[in-house]
Amino acid sequence: MSQRRAAVALRSWMCGVFAVALLAATPGWAGSPGSSIGTKKSGVGPWKLVGTTDGVTVHLRSIPNYRLPQMRGRVTIAASLYEVFAVLEDTKRHPAWMAKTNGARLVQSLKGFNRIVWTRKKTPWPAQDRDAVLRVTVTTYPAKKRLLSRFGVTKHAKSPKRSGVTRMPALDGYFELVATGPKTTRVT
């Protein structure tokens, strides 16, 4: 599978995750409560299945002191782990597959696959678009055929705040890639 097809598969995954999450957040939507996948002792609620669309499963859970739930999407893509990772690494093409993204650029390459990136998200009027500067840290686990790409908000002199855009004070998450076969990858 080409990187282009991997990007199309990732875009479909992202759209499915956001569509199901938006439905689940809508009052009165009768989503399946699903099963609990795990609970931490820190007061974090259990994962609840809220929907499955086109092979994408979406779970939500509550987090103490947060207004919005934590979201997890999962899908298996017909592409090798390396092809999927190449799409994640191609920052300037994020708008082609990442939902609501209308800008992205590499700010600084760091050691290994680690980097600082800037991303901008479309926001409906009358709100301003949102942007964030993110530190991306990549860890590989070759024996487990697993790659973890974590991201979180940071500051960088080469990416100051812009007028007309609201800087996101918090944004963190990860992409976990697990090779489930020579040409299949589970993305979480």
Side-chain angles (χ1 to χ4, degrees), residues 144-159:
K144 295 182 179 182
K145 298 178 183 174
R146 178 176 174 245
L147 181 144
L148 189 63
S149 179
R150 293 183 177 274
F151 56 88
V153 169
T154 190
K155 292 181 181 177
H156 197 283
K158 291 183 180 176
S159 218

Side-chain angles (χ1 to χ4, degrees), residues 39-188:
T39 306
K40 293 182 180 180
K41 292 183 180 181
S42 64
V44 173
W47 287 109
K48 302 278 188 185
L49 177 67
V50 294
T52 301
T53 303
D54 296 330
V56 178
T57 59
V58 177
H59 292 85
L60 297 176
R61 70 178 175 185
S62 60
I63 305 289
N65 302 318
Y66 283 85
R67 291 185 301 156
L68 298 174
Q70 184 178 30
M71 179 180 61
R72 176 179 71 191
R74 183 172 283 163
V75 70
T76 297
I77 295 176
S80 74
L81 183 144
Y82 302 106
E83 289 169 318
V84 175
F85 182 60
V87 172
L88 290 178
E89 283 289 288
D90 191 0
T91 306
K92 70 181 179 224
R93 294 198 38 97
H94 283 183
W97 64 269
M98 199 174 282
K100 304 286 186 197
T101 300
N102 60 355
R105 68 178 170 83
L106 177 67
V107 176
Q108 181 181 359
S109 291
L110 304 172
K111 185 178 177 183
F113 292 110
N114 302 328
R115 61 201 182 282
I116 306 291
V117 299
W118 170 83
T119 186
R120 181 173 174 159
K121 302 291 184 185
K122 294 178 191 175
T123 307
W125 182 87
Q128 293 181 326
D129 281 3
R130 307 293 192 243
D131 76 348
V133 179
L134 304 169
R135 175 180 292 274
V136 179
T137 306
V138 177
T139 308
T140 58
Y141 304 90
K144 295 182 179 182
K145 298 178 183 174
R146 178 176 174 245
L147 181 144
L148 189 63
S149 179
R150 293 183 177 274
F151 56 88
V153 169
T154 190
K155 292 181 181 177
H156 197 283
K158 291 183 180 176
S159 218
K161 289 183 179 180
R162 299 165 185 236
S163 71
V165 179
T166 300
R167 180 64 46 101
M168 288 185 264
L171 175 64
D172 65 344
Y174 66 89
F175 288 99
E176 178 188 45
L177 310 180
V178 178
T180 55
K183 293 288 182 180
T184 56
T185 304
R186 185 183 70 224
V187 181
T188 302

